[in-house]
Amino acid sequence: MRLAELSERSGVPSATIKYYLREGLLPPGNRLSATRADYGEGHLRRLGLVRALIQVGRVPVTTAREVLAAVDDDSLDHHMRLGAAAWAIPHGAEPDPADPVTEAARGTADELLERLGWTFGRGAGADSPAYRMLVEAISAMRRLGYPCDVAELLPYARSAGEVASADLDLTERYEREEEQVEAAVALTVLYEPVLLSLRRLAQAEESYRRYT
Amino acid sequence: MRLAELSERSGVPSATIKYYLREGLLPPGNRLSATRADYGEGHLRRLGLVRALIQVGRVPVTTAREVLAAVDDDSLDHHMRLGAAAWAIPHGAEPDPADPVTEAARGTADELLERLGWTFGRGAGADSPAYRMLVEAISAMRRLGYPCDVAELLPYARSAGEVASADLDLTERYEREEEQVEAAVALTVLYEPVLLSLRRLAQAEESYRRYT
């Protein structure tokens, strides 16, 4: 398809697509002449992922480029490729390594992963951005005087396990490996507001059931 | 306790506490003289909530003031008071009401709530910020070409239901109603990074189990 059709089918303005092409977020089309190129379904899909990262995830262009480089790295096996892409997605505040509250929170995070039997998080993933984000979140709760120990965290972690399983089920609907990795990144970002809004709706429902 | 002790026990600098007092985010202490006042455990607790909203939730001061006004409104019953406080917490992007994708997303959200039997969300809460956030999240997924129908949403909603139940269990550990409402607001904000980081850790674990 030509640029105009890519723009119409994706709902992304031509000028924005040209910007993504210049920034290397979208691979070039097949050149037909000096001014025309042909784009395929892969471009349409990639455009969805770029929009998910930039519009919904509010990821800066340079970070989006790193995420996409990981998505495109087919030298890795499937698990490593998913991991490299997830690693590059921004993860919020970093913990302060010198702080004693952070040290204690790291102990709680490790104990939680051990209780869950999540061996990957304790091994190769022990210093992943997601692990550091968890340590910082636990530290923040404790500094503010709210309870956040393994007992409190366990029900949240079990729910997160179910969500992650649903996430991977969704990516497995895609046939090719590249599409699966793209979908894993996009769905990680796009389902965050879904999860947070459903939690708040569920809180309202649960409060209605318990207290009225 | 005096301001210096409040500062030490909360870890919040005295200058910041004075700023919160001036902005009305913290109620004044009991005046002992023109320059000294006495603060209680309620001030310490409230300080934790203010920090949760402003530092972790990145809520603007004016919005934090609205949330706290709802927390303090003891003319409401418990369910309504929790709801008023939750309503005031920021909820991300608003949907575009004139857009046909939004209209379809609203239909999906309603069908989802019906399937779940979440009658409150369809009734009094039908135009809540959480509902609008869900509609916008579904619209964003669809515009980007990712699957987001009732079948895909159901497992996420069921997990959200379990999380909300854990949330309310935590608030019920507090004795007084005012403390419960404060905790509900703080835990809603503070557990968001916990949930998102645990989901990403669980994705890594699940990927490790499935693909290696």
Side-chain angles (χ1 to χ4, degrees):
Chain A
M1 73 190 99
R2 299 298 157 74
L3 188 73
E5 192 185 340
L6 182 62
S7 167
E8 199 183 310
R9 285 185 59 194
S10 63
V12 179
S14 296
T16 308
I17 297 178
K18 285 179 187 164
Y19 169 71
Y20 292 158
L21 286 164
R22 274 200 309 276
E23 290 290 330
L25 297 174
L26 204 62
N30 276 329
R31 273 226 170 295
L32 299 175
S33 74
T35 56
R36 293 187 311 166
D38 189 53
Y39 301 92
E41 295 300 318
H43 286 93
L44 190 61
R45 230 176 41 232
R46 174 57 57 99
L47 210 43
L49 173 58
V50 171
R51 294 297 260 185
L53 288 169
I54 290 179
Q55 281 204 321
V56 182
R58 304 196 180 287
V59 170
V61 168
T62 46
T63 311
R65 210 183 282 122
E66 286 168 36
V67 177
L68 296 171
V71 166
D72 290 335
D73 185 355
D74 56 12
S75 70
L76 302 170
D77 71 28
H78 191 54
H79 169 67
M80 291 305 290
R81 202 169 162 189
L82 283 174
W87 203 282
I89 304 172
H91 284 74
E94 287 282 316
D96 174 0
D99 180 44
V101 178
T102 304
E103 261 321 293
R106 203 178 292 277
T108 304
D110 291 341
E111 198 187 324
L112 176 70
L113 295 175
E114 172 127 15
R115 281 283 293 278
L116 293 160
W118 293 6
T119 49
F120 178 71
R122 283 183 303 147
D127 202 42
S128 68
Y131 176 86
R132 294 204 300 271
M133 185 187 180
L134 175 63
V135 168
E136 175 52 28
I138 296 171
S139 307
M141 301 264 283
R142 295 232 178 111
R143 281 192 209 104
L144 300 173
Y146 287 97
C148 191
D149 230 313
V150 173
E152 284 85 33
L153 290 165
L154 268 175
Y156 293 91
R158 296 222 170 89
S159 294
E162 288 161 26
V163 166
S165 182
D167 288 335
L168 288 194
D169 289 348
L170 282 179
T171 67
E172 287 181 8
R173 289 195 196 175
Y174 293 87
E175 251 176 58
R176 289 174 37 234
E177 206 214 331
E178 192 198 335
E179 292 174 78
Q180 292 190 358
V181 180
E182 280 192 3
V185 170
L187 295 172
T188 294
V189 173
L190 290 171
Y191 266 103
E192 289 191 350
V194 171
L195 276 169
L196 300 182
S197 58
L198 283 170
R199 175 186 176 218
R200 295 197 189 179
L201 283 168
Q203 285 176 342
E205 179 68 21
E206 184 73 16
S207 158
Y208 179 68
R209 288 184 193 175
R210 290 194 192 189
Y211 308 126
T212 63
Chain B
M1 73 190 99
R2 299 299 158 72
L3 188 73
E5 192 185 339
L6 182 63
S7 167
E8 198 183 309
R9 283 186 58 195
S10 64
V12 179
S14 296
T16 308
I17 298 178
K18 285 180 187 166
Y19 169 70
Y20 293 157
L21 286 164
R22 275 199 310 275
E23 290 291 330
L25 297 174
L26 204 61
N30 276 327
R31 272 223 172 297
L32 299 176
S33 73
T35 55
R36 293 187 310 168
D38 189 53
Y39 301 91
E41 294 300 318
H43 285 94
L44 191 62
R45 231 176 41 232
R46 174 57 56 99
L47 210 42
L49 173 58
V50 171
R51 294 297 260 185
L53 288 170
I54 288 179
Q55 280 205 321
V56 182
R58 305 197 179 287
V59 170
V61 168
T62 46
T63 311
R65 211 184 281 123
E66 285 168 37
V67 176
L68 296 172
V71 166
D72 291 334
D73 185 355
D74 56 11
S75 71
L76 302 170
D77 72 27
H78 191 53
H79 169 67
M80 291 306 290
R81 202 169 162 189
L82 283 173
W87 202 283
I89 304 171
H91 283 74
E94 287 282 315
D96 175 359
D99 181 42
V101 178
T102 304
E103 262 321 294
R106 204 179 290 277
T108 303
D110 291 341
E111 198 187 324
L112 176 70
L113 295 175
E114 173 127 16
R115 281 282 294 278
L116 293 160
W118 292 6
T119 49
F120 178 72
R122 284 183 301 148
D127 202 42
S128 69
Y131 176 86
R132 293 204 300 270
M133 186 188 180
L134 175 62
V135 169
E136 175 52 28
I138 297 172
S139 306
M141 301 264 284
R142 295 232 179 112
R143 281 193 209 102
L144 300 173
Y146 287 97
C148 191
D149 231 313
V150 173
E152 284 84 33
L153 290 166
L154 267 175
Y156 293 92
R158 295 221 170 90
S159 295
E162 288 162 25
V163 166
S165 181
D167 289 335
L168 288 194
D169 289 349
L170 282 179
T171 67
E172 288 181 7
R173 290 195 195 175
Y174 294 85
E175 252 175 56
R176 289 175 37 236
E177 206 214 331
E178 190 196 336
E179 293 174 77
Q180 291 191 358
V181 180
E182 279 192 4
V185 171
L187 295 172
T188 294
V189 172
L190 290 171
Y191 265 104
E192 289 191 349
V194 171
L195 276 169
L196 300 183
S197 57
L198 283 171
R199 175 186 176 217
R200 295 196 190 180
L201 283 168
Q203 285 176 343
E205 179 67 23
E206 184 74 16
S207 157
Y208 178 69
R209 288 185 194 174
R210 289 194 193 190
Y211 308 125
T212 63

